[in-house]
Amino acid sequence: MKKIIASMMLCVVSSSTRIQAQNERQVQTTNEPREYIETVQKATFGYFWDFAHPISGMAAERTATPNIVTTGGTGFGVMSIVVASNRQWIKREEAVNHLIKIASFLKKADRFHGAWSHWLDGRTGKVVPFGMYDNGGDLVETAYLMNGLLVARKYFDKENQQEKLLRKQITELWETVEWDWYASRGDNYLYWHWSPNYDWKMNMPIRGYNECLITYVLALSSPTHSIKPNVYQNTWKKSDFYKNGNDYLGYNLPLGFAKGGPLFFAHYSYLSLDSRLMEDEDANYWKQNLAHTLINYEHCVKDGKKEFDYSAENWGLTASDDYNFYDAHSPTNDNGTISPTAALSSFPYTPFAAFQAMRYLYLKKGNQLFNKYGFYDAYNNQKNWYSNQYLAIDQGPIVVMMENYRSGLLWKLGESMEELQKGLSLMGIKKPNYPTGFYMYLPKQIYQGVELMVHPDKSTYILDFAVKGNEPIEISILNELSEKNIIVASKSFSNGIHQVGFKAKNGIYKALIKQGNSTVEAKLILK
């Protein structure tokens, strides 16, 4: 995409970059990718702002049911409001006042040992049953909501009256969620649901691997009602679908279902958790999420039925509406339904593939698929079916994960949040000790290389790398004629993950990182 080549280093950013991203203002140049991304991200945010419930301020479950508000989707929406404030789409004081409205409503709404139900009546705060026996507390939805509120508490840190009030309200809500009640049956399990009418009738232990990881992070870190670490070990890690370890379409998948399951597993718990900084004895979570995304992509490109019209630009399977109402779409449950949230929320993992999907859906399908609040929930080419609905749980991750790709805002906030880091530590999840090299990439099978696009806000390619040890490193790229351009001359870095920006013509390159007598290389396809 860039027309000039330069060997000078433009920027180097380490993982210790100052957290308060709202104080960092970058000079941004206009370019096509940035215009598309800004348009889609900002329009999608509108669902949580313009379409917010007028009384509760919460997010409607879907556009067809504006008075049924959703707890988990509201948590995602709260983080999108943080993004909007940071990008100055709305005024900071407007964001704070809106969040105070939500927190005030939640304090008065029905709660079940501190947990909220999946759905609430946005006018009254009374529970709206999600199913026959599901009219009580939903701990996973509560975790999504609470995670969003804690992120907001971290971001809105000024000492004025309104921001202090917001932080106080969120703290009171946080400290009154009785996570331990949902592990009180005496069997050492943590349960998803409890109802005052049906007790534990739902009988669903929260077992992994799926979208629920954040529930354990918060349940373990609660200052007032924490669960014990052995509950996490006994519930989450003891299921038939926790460990995997198999190869699919050329990628090894450490955890979860065959071929990964729907893509929201790689999104919901990672809106504020930077999986690049997460590893335990079972998985490196970045590699888990990246492999999951690439398996989903490769399935669509290689294995999808011809009549589904999948391609490198038209991919992404996850839970969403479809022509049969709703389903959890995945490589093992594929009926031809593409859900825009799948690819768009995968921007941090596969930015070029995500951008290609976004651009295709906007240009080729936008007449039927894109409207006031961004992309409608799904479409199916074979059935000539297009959704006319927006869903909060699908809109929210688009805004948040696109921002994590653009600036890392929510991940930086999460890295600085004591609650999240305490929970991860009690789960045995630590920062990886990466060797010097290009830790972040898995080559696409079709190229045996890594596709990079120019970062839309920085106008350079961004190369991610890790450093271990005190010896200085050199980073260079070689074009197909073996002409060498040094990006980083001999320089020492702190141990951990870093980034370097560089400019080059698009094409095929070899990236080299040299430290002492050791050299690591990666094949790059610059788009």
Side-chain angles (χ1 to χ4, degrees):
M1 290 183 180
K2 307 307 286 182
K3 297 181 179 178
I4 59 172
I5 185 163
S7 60
M8 65 178 182
M9 182 186 73
L10 296 182
C11 62
V12 177
V13 183
S14 83
S15 61
S16 61
T17 299
R18 187 163 51 92
I19 296 302
Q20 293 299 332
Q22 66 266 38
N23 295 325
E24 298 171 6
R25 301 299 178 200
Q26 297 178 351
V27 177
Q28 296 170 331
T29 58
T30 299
N31 55 66
E32 185 195 41
R34 185 175 186 276
E35 289 291 291
Y36 276 114
I37 287 171
E38 185 87 0
T39 295
V40 171
Q41 191 185 19
K42 188 175 181 180
T44 307
F45 157 70
Y47 183 84
F48 300 100
W49 194 250
D50 298 335
F51 195 65
H53 192 276
I55 296 173
S56 68
M58 293 180 68
E61 168 72 7
R62 57 173 62 235
T63 37
T65 55
N67 285 314
I68 297 177
V69 296
T70 174
T71 50
T74 294
F76 300 164
V78 168
M79 282 189 269
S80 79
I81 291 170
V82 169
V83 172
S85 176
N86 194 63
R87 291 212 164 266
Q88 300 181 339
W89 298 335
I90 57 175
K91 294 179 180 178
R92 186 180 177 102
E93 54 269 29
E94 291 176 330
V96 171
N97 289 336
H98 187 88
L99 294 175
I100 287 173
K101 177 194 284 190
I102 292 175
S104 301
F105 180 83
L106 288 169
K107 183 178 181 180
K108 298 175 183 178
D110 284 348
R111 298 181 76 180
F112 305 90
H113 289 279
W116 293 274
S117 57
H118 192 132
W119 287 342
L120 295 168
D121 186 323
R123 298 163 295 188
T124 65
K126 296 299 182 184
V127 61
V128 176
F130 189 70
M132 182 178 294
Y133 304 114
D134 193 357
N135 69 339
D138 184 315
L139 201 65
V140 174
E141 292 289 312
T142 295
Y144 297 150
L145 174 61
M146 203 65 250
N147 185 43
L149 290 170
L150 289 172
V151 167
R153 188 181 70 171
K154 185 67 179 180
Y155 179 85
F156 293 105
D157 60 354
K158 291 187 177 180
E159 289 302 314
N160 61 57
Q161 182 178 356
Q162 290 302 89
E163 294 197 22
K164 287 170 70 174
L165 172 61
L166 175 62
R167 294 197 298 274
K168 180 176 182 291
Q169 288 179 314
I170 293 172
T171 298
E172 289 174 353
L173 295 174
W174 163 233
E175 292 181 350
T176 48
V177 179
E178 297 177 31
W179 309 91
D180 52 350
W181 167 259
Y182 289 80
S184 67
R185 294 179 67 179
D187 55 9
N188 215 26
Y189 289 156
L190 182 67
Y191 284 88
W192 198 312
H193 309 90
W194 178 82
S195 161
N197 304 108
Y198 304 107
D199 206 44
W200 305 103
K201 180 76 173 179
M202 295 287 288
N203 200 36
M204 289 177 60
I206 305 173
R207 289 186 162 137
Y209 178 79
N210 51 38
E211 75 275 24
C212 304
L213 186 74
I214 190 66
T215 311
Y216 283 96
V217 177
L218 297 179
L220 283 161
S221 65
S222 169
T224 50
H225 294 282
S226 62
I227 63 170
K228 297 185 183 304
N230 61 8
V231 174
Y232 163 69
Q233 297 289 337
N234 190 57
T235 316
W236 180 255
K237 291 196 169 189
K238 290 188 178 177
S239 75
D240 295 336
F241 47 89
Y242 176 65
K243 285 191 178 181
N244 189 310
N246 295 310
D247 291 341
Y248 303 100
L249 298 169
Y251 304 99
N252 183 264
L253 189 70
L255 304 174
F257 294 96
K259 297 188 178 180
L263 266 180
F264 71 90
F265 290 2
H267 304 150
Y268 289 7
S269 284
Y270 301 98
L271 301 179
S272 62
L273 295 177
D274 184 349
S275 60
R276 297 176 301 175
L277 307 178
M278 296 170 57
E279 187 173 84
D280 62 16
E281 71 275 12
D282 297 318
N284 175 288
Y285 288 85
W286 174 261
K287 292 179 181 177
Q288 165 71 28
N289 290 336
L290 181 54
H292 183 182
T293 307
L294 288 169
I295 291 165
N296 197 290
Y297 171 89
E298 294 280 355
H299 164 81
C300 292
V301 174
K302 291 182 178 179
D303 294 346
K305 293 180 181 179
K306 185 177 181 181
E307 57 267 30
F308 290 170
D309 194 35
Y310 295 162
S311 70
E313 297 178 318
N314 188 32
W315 65 278
L317 309 178
T318 193
S320 72
D321 281 352
D322 69 12
Y323 58 89
N324 286 321
F325 180 61
Y326 195 88
D327 204 353
H329 313 103
S330 73
T332 58
N333 183 38
D334 184 5
N335 67 3
T337 299
I338 289 291
S339 315
T341 188
L344 270 60
S345 300
S346 298
F347 251 100
Y349 307 126
T350 54
F352 181 72
F355 177 74
Q356 292 295 99
M358 183 184 70
R359 191 172 183 272
Y360 171 87
L361 292 172
Y362 190 90
L363 292 176
K364 298 295 180 68
K365 301 293 181 181
N367 201 39
Q368 294 164 288
L369 200 59
F370 192 88
N371 212 309
K372 184 177 182 180
Y373 302 132
F375 290 106
Y376 286 125
D377 201 51
Y379 94 99
N380 187 295
N381 182 71
Q382 183 187 22
K383 301 292 184 179
N384 195 29
W385 171 86
Y386 291 80
S387 172
N388 64 354
Q389 293 287 301
Y390 295 104
L391 273 66
I393 56 170
D394 291 339
Q395 297 303 97
I398 293 173
V399 180
V400 174
M401 292 301 262
M402 287 177 76
E403 189 60 36
N404 279 330
Y405 163 66
R406 295 183 72 179
S407 70
L409 173 65
L410 290 308
W411 284 351
K412 291 173 185 176
L413 290 167
E415 189 183 355
S416 71
M417 288 168 59
E418 180 182 347
E419 299 81 10
L420 298 188
Q421 299 310 311
K422 177 183 177 182
L424 291 173
S425 178
L426 290 169
M427 294 161 73
I429 297 176
K430 302 176 181 178
K431 290 184 179 180
N433 189 16
Y434 290 114
T436 298
F438 303 108
Y439 75 97
M440 196 167 165
Y441 307 124
L442 289 175
K444 274 190 179 176
Q445 294 300 307
I446 188 171
Y447 302 121
Q448 283 300 304
V450 178
E451 292 175 311
L452 295 184
M453 64 179 284
V454 172
H455 193 285
D457 295 321
K458 300 173 184 176
S459 299
T460 66
Y461 292 104
I462 301 296
L463 192 61
D464 290 271
F465 63 98
V467 174
K468 184 177 181 180
N470 298 320
E471 283 189 278
I473 64 165
E474 178 187 278
I475 300 178
S476 58
I477 57 171
L478 276 66
N479 63 17
E480 293 180 282
L481 300 176
S482 296
E483 296 170 334
K484 182 177 179 180
N485 287 279
I486 296 175
I487 298 174
V488 175
S490 182
K491 182 177 178 180
S492 295
F493 287 83
S494 61
N495 281 258
I497 64 174
H498 304 269
Q499 294 181 330
V500 59
F502 67 97
K503 291 187 176 183
K505 292 180 179 178
N506 50 358
I508 298 174
Y509 291 80
K510 183 185 293 184
L512 304 172
I513 182 167
K514 183 177 180 181
Q515 186 179 48
N517 295 322
S518 176
T519 301
V520 179
E521 65 180 59
K523 181 181 177 182
L524 305 179
I525 298 96
L526 303 185
K527 298 289 188 174

